[in-house]
Amino acid sequence: MIKFFFIKVLIEALIILHHVEGICLCKEKEIIRNIQTPFYVYDEAKLRTRINEVKKSVEGIEGITFFFNAKSNPNPNILKIFEEEGCGVLCSSMADLLLAIKSSLKDEMIFLDASNVSEKELMVASMRNARMFASDDEVLEKIKTAAFQIPDGICFGENDIEKNYQLCREEGVIKTGLLLLPEQKDVTAFAEQIKKAAEEYRVQKKLDELELCIAADEIFLKEAGITKLYSI
């Protein structure tokens, strides 16, 4: 079994509550009786609303794909909600990768950070034709050597953008992208950073076909109605 299921300090059980603004005391007691505590409860309606609020803030910019950082909350129910709202999943380990596959995400919505993974992860991801993140040309070379095939989509960081863009094109990569990892929790500040990046990298550097891949977690979960419950 995947190791993240063995959490000794905190047992985090996910309960998806449909269209609930809060949890009444009777509901809390009912949940506590049936599930070992402590655990977290998430409001599905609030989470979906927040995802769409974030996406709407940059809706005027073309070629943006959102990814939820799986390591911040490796729960298949959460990942499924993001997929249903048009977002992919950023994976940074075999556990994340297997979880994304098990959650039945489409191949192009699985995104592996290839910077610090083994050949095994690269092989599994490439067999699914998942997107990959190459932080520099050395990682790109590692992908070429270890992967089952060069994926259709590769993203890179903000350093040596033009060089990496050309390297990907030479390797026959169909979709080249820039990975952005905004840390803002405020939607307005978040949108401004994305708009600035789109202007700088697409217009100024004339990389019109450059896709913007946005990976985030806290900005999505901030308004998700998280409640921590304990035995009483």
Side-chain angles (χ1 to χ4, degrees):
M1 294 185 64
I2 303 173
K3 63 182 179 181
F4 58 71
F5 287 119
F6 297 93
I7 303 176
K8 296 180 180 179
V9 179
L10 174 67
I11 299 175
E12 183 179 349
L14 176 70
I15 298 177
I16 300 298
L17 300 179
H18 293 268
H19 311 292
V20 178
E21 285 300 320
I23 306 173
C24 64
L25 182 60
C26 59
K27 189 67 175 178
E28 287 187 11
K29 290 181 178 179
E30 179 185 339
I31 294 170
I32 289 170
R33 279 196 301 269
N34 293 304
I35 297 179
Q36 185 177 359
T37 61
F39 58 85
Y40 288 99
V41 176
Y42 296 82
D43 189 317
E44 178 183 358
K46 287 184 178 181
L47 179 55
R48 290 185 186 274
T49 298
R50 181 64 171 184
I51 293 171
N52 284 289
E53 180 185 4
V54 172
K55 292 175 68 177
K56 188 175 181 179
S57 70
V58 293
E59 64 181 358
I61 306 173
E62 296 182 1
I64 290 182
T65 305
F66 283 94
F67 294 87
F68 176 66
N69 196 340
K71 69 181 180 181
S72 68
N73 194 315
N75 189 294
N77 294 302
I78 288 286
L79 301 191
K80 194 63 180 175
I81 289 173
F82 275 94
E83 188 214 10
E84 290 171 357
E85 295 300 333
C87 302
V89 174
L90 177 63
C91 306
S92 56
S93 67
M94 181 63 84
D96 295 344
L97 192 55
L98 294 178
L99 182 63
I101 293 172
K102 186 179 179 181
S103 300
S104 301
L105 270 71
K106 295 178 181 177
D107 294 345
E108 64 269 21
M109 301 307 283
I110 300 174
F111 189 4
L112 177 68
D113 182 350
S115 303
N116 298 298
V117 296
S118 68
E119 293 183 1
K120 187 180 293 185
E121 280 95 337
L122 291 173
M123 180 65 73
V124 171
S126 63
M127 290 179 70
R128 299 296 300 241
N129 198 24
R131 301 180 195 223
M132 294 190 194
F133 170 62
S135 54
D136 52 43
D137 53 356
E138 290 185 8
V139 178
L140 182 58
E141 187 62 34
K142 183 173 74 172
I143 293 172
K144 288 167 54 180
T145 303
F148 176 74
Q149 61 182 355
I150 296 293
D152 288 343
I154 290 183
C155 292
F156 35 83
E158 298 181 62
N159 296 323
D160 298 322
I161 290 177
E162 291 162 290
K163 174 186 174 182
N164 290 326
Y165 180 85
Q166 294 303 323
L167 285 173
C168 286
R169 286 301 184 186
E170 290 170 8
E171 293 299 329
V173 176
I174 297 172
K175 292 183 178 180
T176 52
L178 174 68
L179 176 63
L180 297 176
L181 301 164
E183 296 181 355
Q184 290 89 347
K185 297 179 183 179
D186 175 74
V187 173
T188 301
F190 177 91
E192 285 301 315
Q193 181 177 349
I194 306 306
K195 291 173 183 176
K196 181 179 178 181
E199 171 69 20
E200 181 177 352
Y201 299 120
R202 282 187 180 155
V203 179
Q204 294 181 18
K205 296 184 181 298
K206 297 182 172 58
L207 303 179
D208 298 334
E209 297 178 1
L210 189 69
E211 185 178 18
L212 294 179
C213 295
I214 316 299
D217 43 46
E218 290 191 27
I219 192 168
F220 290 123
L221 298 179
K222 181 184 176 184
E223 303 295 332
I226 302 173
T227 303
K228 192 172 184 178
L229 298 183
Y230 296 90
S231 296
I232 55 178

